């Protein structure tokens, strides 16, 4: 039995009954993720290639710092990962929208508001980075696995795919300009 209904105006798979949840490929179908084809950024020469490798490493580090700041409950470091006018939005399986947050301090404060509710240690693991560079702007996709550690035992808390739009700012390096969290579950 097919549990995917694509009759809505966006042609986004919507779960309507028994069957796999989330629907495989839901985040791409919903327009939340959009990878560029492999090889769409040809080599440009040794100096430019070195610069691109460095930029990719710095972007991956910014993403990791976002996870570390959250997990170590450092609200100032969390805000420091974002541009002043950044946005954060999320959805759970395309079924539950998480309200959009605007501004680095607001994003950090709303993330910090979750900490007392969690009552455990969280660990964000970002992997499978795909980074597209365009001068002082970049788009990065990464899978996120978040562990919950309580009573010396680890368990999966949430997983998903994140899309980051980043902007290089003088004196601050690569910062998250917008973040879209496409969560596969929420516990």
């Amino acid at each position: 039995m097919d549990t995917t209904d694509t009759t809505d105006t966006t042609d986004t798979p919507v779960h309507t009954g028994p069957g796999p949840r989330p629907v495989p490929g839901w985040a791409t179908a919903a327009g939340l993720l959009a990878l560029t084809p492999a090889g769409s950024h040809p080599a440009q020469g040794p100096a430019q290639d070195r610069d691109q490798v460095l930029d990719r490493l710095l972007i991956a580090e910014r993403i990791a710092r976002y996870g570390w700041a959250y997990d170590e409950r450092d609200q100032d470091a969390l805000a420091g990962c974002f541009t002043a006018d950044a946005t954060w939005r999320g959805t759970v399986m395309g079924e539950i929208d998480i309200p959009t947050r605007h501004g680095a301090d607001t994003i950090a404060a709303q993330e910090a508001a979750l900490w007392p509710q969690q009552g455990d240690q969280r660990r964000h693991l970002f992997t499978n980075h795909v980074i597209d560079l365009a001068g002082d702007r970049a788009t990065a996709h990464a899978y996120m696995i978040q562990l919950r550690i309580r009573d010396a035992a680890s368990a999966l808390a949430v997983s998903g795919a994140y899309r980051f739009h980043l902007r290089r700012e003088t004196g601050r390096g690569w910062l998250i300009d917008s973040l879209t969290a496409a969560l596969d579950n929420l516990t």
Side-chain angles (χ1 to χ4, degrees), residues 74-88 101-113 115 172 176:
D74 186 335
Q75 188 171 339
D76 291 336
L78 194 57
C81 291
F82 292 91
T83 61
D85 59 347
T87 59
W88 187 109
R101 304 162 185 170
H102 300 279
D105 292 333
T106 300
I107 293 167
Q110 290 184 333
E111 295 276 87
W115 299 335
R172 295 190 66 205
I176 301 165

Side-chain angles (χ1 to χ4, degrees), residues 31-69:
L32 299 171
L33 306 175
L35 296 177
T36 57
S40 61
H41 302 286
Q44 300 175 3
Q48 293 89 351
D49 289 349
R50 258 191 317 274
D51 290 347
Q52 286 191 2
V53 168
L54 178 59
D55 284 336
R56 290 173 196 282
L57 288 171
L58 292 171
I59 288 166
E61 181 174 333
R62 177 60 67 198
I63 292 167
R65 286 181 178 277
Y66 165 75
W68 276 92

Side-chain angles (χ1 to χ4, degrees), residues 15 19-27 92-95 183-185:
H15 189 270
R21 281 187 79 226
V23 174
W26 71 267
V92 182
M93 296 182 287
E95 299 172 12
L183 304 174
D184 296 323
N185 58 324

Side-chain angles (χ1 to χ4, degrees), residues 73 110-120 122 150:
R73 298 183 177 198
Q110 290 184 333
E111 295 276 87
L114 296 173
W115 299 335
Q117 299 168 28
Q118 291 172 342
D120 52 28
R122 297 294 169 113
R150 180 177 294 179

